[in-house]
Amino acid sequence: MKQITANIYQISLSIVNVFVIEGNGLTLIDTGPAGSADKIFAELKKAGKNPYNINRIILTHLHSDHTGSAAELKRKLKVPLLAHPADATLIEKGLSSRSGNGDQPMQLSPGAINWLIYHTFIKRAPKTIEPVKIDELINENDLIPVAGGLRIIHTPGHSAGHISVLAKNEGVLIAADSCANSAGLGLSILYEDRESGIQSIRKAASHNFEKAGFGHGKLIMKDAAKQMRQVFGRF
Ligand SMILES: [Zn+2]
Ligand SMILES: [Zn+2]
């Protein structure tokens, strides 16, 4: 578990990052693929935190690498799950992809690396998860009273119900999969609607924050908003 600020931590699972925010207990952002609960618990314990202090779980979007352990963690912890209504309805049905639902194909971002990762890994990722009830719906501009306030920013594009979380007092944006920082800051590999995804990144980057965390790739520890404005202003 890597400490980002006084109250925010990143846990890197094999393919995805999840985040922990301390304040009135612990808030977990995303859950990793199915079978991640033990790893998350172990990482928290190693850092001297009690996993049973988690009192809410925010899901940034429906994909199985973020929601796969939601049902298991909810069973273990008996805590509310929060998600945006557009993705909540699918998560409750156990669907972790709109394209898997036959509704619309995802748009693959340009570049050979994206093509390769998509065809090697993502295409085979599970399109279903254990169905789980979402207890609280979160929307644009909602404020969760933790660590000086966690602002929900609706960032559709990667998925219709994708949200990012701005911890203003900590100067951190949890951008999740709105973009990625794998081979440098850039687009996520897939979008339901890339154009709306780019607009969403610009919206999130109009706020001020120093650091940013992503579902995939490395943390940005300095000038994150500025870097995002520069990179995504060009698209
Ligand atoms: Zn995703
Ligand atoms: Zn992801």
Side-chain angles (χ1 to χ4, degrees):
M1 189 155 102
K2 184 168 183 187
Q3 186 158 18
I4 307 173
T5 62
N7 295 307
I8 304 185
Y9 302 82
Q10 173 177 281
I11 297 175
S12 297
L13 303 169
S14 54
I15 53 157
V16 70
N17 302 311
V18 305
F19 299 88
V20 176
I21 302 180
E22 199 159 28
N24 307 323
L26 300 173
T27 297
L28 180 66
I29 301 183
D30 284 335
T31 68
S36 300
D38 288 349
K39 176 86 198 285
I40 292 170
F41 275 35
E43 289 283 317
L44 283 165
K45 282 180 195 156
K46 230 191 318 180
K49 315 281 178 203
N50 181 354
Y52 288 93
N53 285 342
I54 294 174
N55 50 23
R56 67 170 67 69
I57 300 173
I58 299 173
L59 299 172
T60 60
H61 64 295
L62 78 170
H63 293 154
S64 60
D65 51 334
H66 301 255
T67 56
S69 291
E72 186 189 1
L73 283 165
K74 184 173 170 172
R75 246 190 323 273
K76 278 186 175 230
L77 296 166
K78 298 176 179 64
V79 297
L81 287 177
L82 287 65
H84 187 278
D87 281 12
T89 47
L90 280 81
I91 295 167
E92 291 192 330
K93 290 181 195 152
L95 296 171
S96 58
S97 155
R98 274 191 180 73
S99 57
N101 196 20
D103 288 353
Q104 62 187 94
M106 297 285 276
Q107 299 170 352
L108 178 59
S109 294
I113 295 174
N114 288 332
W115 188 92
L116 191 68
I117 296 173
Y118 173 72
H119 285 280
T120 317
F121 299 107
I122 302 180
K123 224 163 85 173
R124 293 184 210 139
K127 301 284 189 291
T128 57
I129 51 167
E130 183 182 342
V132 63
K133 188 176 173 342
I134 300 300
D135 305 283
E136 291 174 33
L137 298 175
I138 42 176
N139 288 286
E140 169 76 7
N141 219 24
D142 283 355
L143 192 68
I144 296 166
V146 164
L150 303 179
R151 183 71 68 185
I152 303 301
I153 306 174
H154 184 211
T155 43
H158 180 70
S159 81
H162 189 285
I163 57 111
S164 301
V165 179
L166 178 68
K168 203 173 174 203
N169 281 18
E170 304 280 320
V172 175
L173 179 77
I174 307 298
D177 286 3
S178 59
C179 51
N181 189 31
S182 302
L185 181 59
L187 292 168
S188 281
I189 294 169
L190 293 171
Y191 288 85
E192 288 175 5
D193 178 343
R194 187 190 308 145
E195 195 44 52
S196 118
I198 293 166
Q199 296 304 329
S200 288
I201 302 163
R202 289 181 183 154
K203 177 173 81 172
S206 72
H207 295 272
N208 286 318
F209 48 88
E210 186 69 12
K211 302 173 182 182
F214 306 88
H216 306 279
K218 295 193 209 82
L219 290 162
I220 295 180
M221 294 298 278
K222 199 175 173 351
D223 290 332
K226 200 171 126 196
Q227 287 188 48
M228 285 170 70
R229 283 175 216 145
Q230 277 170 355
V231 169
F232 295 101
R234 286 202 295 267
F235 279 96

